[in-house]
């Protein structure tokens, strides 16, 4: 995961600094070579049917691309990545305990 985060930061910075699509292509290749297929999806790969994987904003950006609306190149870190992080960091039970203690009906 650290290698993916490092590659993401490096190539994203280069992409926005230069505006070059070659950096986007290199970043895409780097994330795929790291086996990050389930953790990163590109806007052009997703649509409204991917809300559970990419969230509403990511899915809508994918839909906008499909409709031909100009959208800057980008990607979504998936819900699979979030769940994997919680498991790897042993945070699932802690988070569940904290959320379970919330008074959601408190007005």
């Amino acid at each position: 995961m650290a290698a993916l985060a490092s590659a993401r930061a490096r190539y994203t910075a280069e992409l926005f600094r230069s505006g070059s699509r070659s950096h986007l292509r290199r970043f895409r290749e780097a994330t795929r070579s790291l086996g990050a297929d389930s953790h990163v999806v590109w806007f052009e790969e997703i649509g409204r049917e991917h809300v559970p994987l990419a969230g509403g904003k990511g899915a809508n950006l994918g839909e906008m691309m499909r409709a031909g609306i100009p959208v800057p190149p980008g990607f979504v870190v998936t819900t699979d990545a979030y769940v994997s992080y919680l498991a790897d960091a042993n945070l699932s039970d802690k988070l569940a305990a904290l959320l379970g203690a919330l008074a959601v009906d408190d007005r």
Side-chain angles (χ1 to χ4, degrees), residues 4-96:
L4 174 61
S6 176
R8 181 183 307 125
R10 185 174 57 253
Y11 289 115
T12 302
E14 288 179 30
L15 171 67
F16 288 109
R17 193 171 34 251
S18 70
S20 169
R21 290 230 183 244
S22 67
H23 293 298
L24 178 63
R25 189 172 35 261
R26 287 198 327 233
F27 175 58
R28 182 173 292 146
E29 291 165 4
T31 57
R32 296 295 186 235
S33 70
L34 291 169
D37 290 344
S38 67
H39 291 168
V40 175
V41 290
W42 299 91
F43 293 154
E44 66 264 13
E45 298 172 338
I46 56 177
R48 65 176 159 254
E49 67 275 14
H50 297 103
V51 169
L53 176 70
K57 187 180 288 185
N60 285 334
L61 286 165
E63 282 295 314
M64 291 169 63
M65 286 191 105
R66 287 180 181 181
I69 298 170
V71 175
F75 61 91
V76 174
V77 177
T78 68
T79 55
D80 289 344
Y82 175 72
V83 171
S84 292
Y85 171 75
L86 290 179
D88 291 347
N90 296 316
L91 294 175
S92 297
D93 292 337
K94 293 175 186 175
L95 184 58

